Structures are given as C-alpha cells and as structure tokens.
Amino acid sequence: MSDEVQINIISANRMQSMNTMEKIRLILDDVMNGHIVILEKGLDPMEEAKLIEFTMIQIRNDVFSGIEIQSYPRDQKKSAIGKLFGKDPDSRMTVIGPANRLKSIKKEKDIISALIA
C-alpha cells in the first residue's frame, strides 16, 4: 500500500439518490481500496448498522481489517413536527476509513480529528 491517501468527499445530493445497499457498496469499495470517505450528510442509524454488519462479513486478517467511523453527534432536539411524525434529526458529517490507516480518530463537540498513516 502506498503512502498516499485519497480522500473522497461525497455530497448529500449523491447519497440521497442511492438506496441503502448502493451507499454501503460505495463506502466499502472505497474504504477497502484504502481511501478515506467523508460523507457530507452521514448515514441514518439503520444504514450505519448495515454498514457495520457488511463490514464484519468482509474482514479478513491479511486483506481487510475493518473500518473506523466517526460522526458529529446528532442534534437531539426535535422540532414539534419531527416529534409528531417520529422523524429522526438529520445525521451529520461522517468520516469513514480503513482501520489500518486511521491511527487515531477522535470526536469533540464540533471537530473530528483523524491521523492517517
């Protein structure tokens, strides 16, 4: 694997046009190729759970060690309309990368820090 790191920033518009499996395939293909993926608008909780489930299936000790994923905290405040219709608050920017390349990833209130090796 080279020392270069490719970062793919994926717009919310592109992700909105895809179904859950298309999103997961896009993310996993990029991450398995050693790329860092930044989603303008993160995945919803169900999509994130599916991503983790499919990642676990793909893990092989000598080929793919898994992913690191971090998102800004969700805004816990729901509008009255959101509460009425049970709408989840919008997910926020998410960073996803291969576990063997993201050496340190931490999240503070409004900052996600990643050390890429």
Side-chain angles (χ1 to χ4, degrees), residues 24-55:
I24 290 169
R25 192 73 264 155
L26 173 72
I27 293 166
L28 274 180
D29 285 349
D30 281 355
V31 172
M32 290 177 77
N33 284 322
H35 304 161
I36 306 298
V37 176
I38 299 176
L39 303 176
E40 180 183 15
K41 182 179 176 186
L43 302 172
D44 68 36
M46 293 296 290
E47 291 171 333
E48 201 168 298
K50 281 284 185 197
L51 175 62
I52 292 168
E53 177 185 337
F54 279 86
T55 298

Side-chain angles (χ1 to χ4, degrees), residues 17 37 103:
S17 67
V37 176
K103 298 298 181 195

Side-chain angles (χ1 to χ4, degrees), residues 6-72:
Q6 180 173 327
I7 298 173
N8 296 333
I9 302 171
I10 303 173
S11 72
N13 284 343
R14 180 164 183 200
M15 296 299 278
Q16 285 175 342
S17 67
M18 304 170 90
N19 66 38
T20 298
M21 290 311 299
E22 291 171 329
K23 292 176 188 178
I24 290 169
R25 192 73 264 155
L26 173 72
I27 293 166
L28 274 180
D29 285 349
D30 281 355
V31 172
M32 290 177 77
N33 284 322
H35 304 161
I36 306 298
V37 176
I38 299 176
L39 303 176
E40 180 183 15
K41 182 179 176 186
L43 302 172
D44 68 36
M46 293 296 290
E47 291 171 333
E48 201 168 298
K50 281 284 185 197
L51 175 62
I52 292 168
E53 177 185 337
F54 279 86
T55 298
M56 298 301 286
I57 293 169
Q58 300 291 323
I59 290 176
R60 289 187 215 126
N61 286 342
D62 54 341
V63 180
F64 180 60
S65 59
I67 64 171
E68 289 286 338
I69 182 169
Q70 198 62 259
S71 300
Y72 287 127

Side-chain angles (χ1 to χ4, degrees), residues 41-45 73-79 82-83 86-92:
K41 182 179 176 186
L43 302 172
D44 68 36
R74 295 175 190 274
D75 186 2
Q76 298 301 314
K77 299 176 187 170
K78 285 185 177 181
S79 68
K83 288 178 184 175
K87 181 182 174 196
D88 286 334
D90 286 338
S91 52
R92 302 180 67 190

